[in-house]
Amino acid sequence: MIATRLQSRLLSHRSSHVQATSQLKMTMSTISKNSDKEVNASDKKSNARKFHTLNTDTKYQLCFLRHGQSTWNRDNRFIGWTDTPLTDDGVLEARVAGQMLSRSGMKFDEVHTSLLRRCIRTTNLALMEMGQEYIPVFKNWRLNERHYGDLVGKNKKEVVKEHGKDQVKRWRRSWDEPPPPMRDDHEFHPALDPRYYDVLDKIPKCESLKCTLKRSKVYWEREILPGLKEGKTILIVGHENNLRSLIMNLEGISEKDIINLCLPRAVPLAYKLDENFEPIGRPDGKLDEATGFLRGEWLGGDAAVSEILDRDRKQVYDTSVEENLEIGDDKEKWRKWMHLAVGETTQPEMKAKSSEIGDFFKRFGKMP
């Protein structure tokens, strides 16, 4: 009896020990697995590379830059998707833009531009002046100039004489009135260009600003905005109407008012953005004096931009002016604003690093 009871107790104790040991092993195993997970998560967290922007000298995170003078800018012709090269003056404009950016203290993490060489070369020249040739440059057709349809190749002032100032202004600057569509047999049709072979079905016959924003906004949301969210400082080198569409979207400019927004060539427009990627206003709380719409900072100064835009309006719309202002005597005035732009700005943090105003022009014998 006693032996039986002892045997029963021993069996019960052994069973309890086995259960306790098994439970302990399970507990240790769970702890080990959880510990491994924590370690792996910790390792992954410590190994995850956070982006560190190169832009440490200024608070500007986004900058727009229109390309330098191309051959058809010089000749006052509608360009659109036609791949016109920079002129010698266009090269100078691009390099001056690079100098302004260099002196601003901004360092870019990447650049986005179109498939057209007037923008691509402007990008390369500006980066060369900044010493930033090493950063990534992304090219996409969605950043091309608006398609000017059947106006492509025609002289702007001659078109004004034929159709009137108001009609041409609506074709060039309005929200939703496109120019006449391009003929399929047009000598400058983009379908003849091999760079568009993979997007032949997307080539428009003409575009309004509304059409241009539709494609540029896709690129903004897919490529540019994600970069800004990572903390990158981004340079967008583009064309007047493509940049107008992006700036309209960024600034919230109305469809009615956008007809009055014009942009100069080769003058950087820098923006500070808040946590919602909305523009932060200027310190004085005012909009720019050159256009009256923008919270960004013209690195060349508002006065210089106003002078350029006034000149551009005369070049296109003032039929009493017979000379080509891109190549006439007024060309020297054009050089003067660039001379001033290199050394002057409206905000202390954007002042030129060099105290010698115009030293860039002296180096190349371009002083007016």
Side-chain angles (χ1 to χ4, degrees), residues 51-53 55 59-64 106-112 138 219-236 246 249-250 270-279:
F51 184 83
H52 296 287
T53 180
N55 184 32
K59 296 179 181 179
Y60 291 89
Q61 300 130 294
L62 176 66
C63 188
F64 297 100
M106 275 187 286
K107 289 289 185 182
F108 295 103
D109 300 302
E110 62 187 38
V111 186
H112 297 266
F138 301 97
Y219 191 81
W220 173 273
E221 292 176 348
R222 289 180 183 175
E223 305 296 336
I224 297 171
L225 187 56
L228 291 170
K229 289 180 178 179
E230 290 180 14
K232 294 178 180 178
T233 298
I234 293 177
L235 173 63
I236 302 174
L246 291 172
N249 186 57
L250 180 68
Y271 277 90
K272 297 176 184 176
L273 306 175
D274 63 18
E275 63 276 6
N276 297 314
F277 306 99
E278 296 288 337

Side-chain angles (χ1 to χ4, degrees), residues 257-290:
D257 289 336
I258 193 61
I259 194 170
N260 296 312
L261 177 66
C262 300
L263 304 176
R265 291 194 308 263
V267 183
L269 176 63
Y271 277 90
K272 297 176 184 176
L273 306 175
D274 63 18
E275 63 276 6
N276 297 314
F277 306 99
E278 296 288 337
I280 296 175
R282 295 179 169 200
D284 60 8
K286 299 179 180 179
L287 300 175
D288 76 306
E289 295 179 5

Side-chain angles (χ1 to χ4, degrees), residues 5-165:
R5 288 177 182 174
L6 285 173
Q7 188 177 11
S8 179
R9 286 181 182 178
L10 285 170
L11 289 172
S12 177
H13 179 73
R14 183 180 295 175
S15 177
S16 297
H17 178 73
V18 169
Q19 290 178 4
T21 302
S22 176
Q23 187 175 1
L24 179 61
K25 287 181 178 179
M26 290 176 64
T27 302
M28 293 301 293
S29 176
T30 301
I31 292 172
S32 177
K33 288 180 180 178
N34 289 339
S35 178
D36 288 343
K37 288 180 180 178
E38 289 176 5
V39 170
N40 290 338
S42 177
D43 286 345
K44 288 179 181 178
K45 187 174 181 180
S46 63
N47 291 332
R49 180 184 180 276
K50 291 185 177 180
F51 184 83
H52 296 287
T53 180
L54 299 172
N55 184 32
T56 58
D57 292 337
T58 79
K59 296 179 181 179
Y60 291 89
Q61 300 130 294
L62 176 66
C63 188
F64 297 100
L65 175 64
R66 187 183 168 197
H67 61 80
Q69 184 197 62
S70 75
T71 52
W72 280 16
N73 290 134
R74 178 198 62 201
D75 299 341
N76 206 22
R77 300 170 72 181
F78 285 98
I79 310 175
W81 287 27
T82 309
D83 195 27
T84 56
L86 295 183
T87 62
D88 289 344
D89 277 359
V91 170
L92 176 62
E93 290 175 7
R95 297 190 68 177
V96 170
Q99 283 285 312
M100 283 190 271
L101 289 168
S102 177
R103 293 161 183 247
S104 76
M106 275 187 286
K107 289 289 185 182
F108 295 103
D109 300 302
E110 62 187 38
V111 186
H112 297 266
T113 191
S114 74
L115 294 183
L116 299 167
R117 58 180 164 172
R118 57 189 182 273
C119 270
I120 295 170
R121 195 173 183 203
T122 296
T123 299
N124 294 339
L125 290 167
L127 290 179
M128 179 185 72
E129 293 297 327
M130 297 180 68
Q132 278 209 276
E133 298 100 317
Y134 55 88
I135 65 173
V137 176
F138 301 97
K139 310 178 187 77
N140 195 280
W141 70 272
R142 292 185 184 276
L143 295 182
N144 276 12
E145 174 61 298
R146 67 177 289 190
H147 194 307
Y148 268 115
D150 212 46
L151 297 180
V152 170
K154 295 181 179 180
N155 182 278
K156 295 175 184 176
K157 191 160 286 186
E158 292 302 318
V159 175
V160 169
K161 290 178 180 178
E162 180 180 354
H163 296 280
K165 173 183 174 180

Side-chain angles (χ1 to χ4, degrees), residues 180-199:
M182 177 176 275
R183 307 182 315 276
D184 290 338
D185 62 348
H186 197 288
E187 62 176 317
F188 299 116
H189 201 293
L192 302 174
D193 193 322
R195 79 192 72 192
Y196 302 118
Y197 281 178
D198 59 343
V199 291

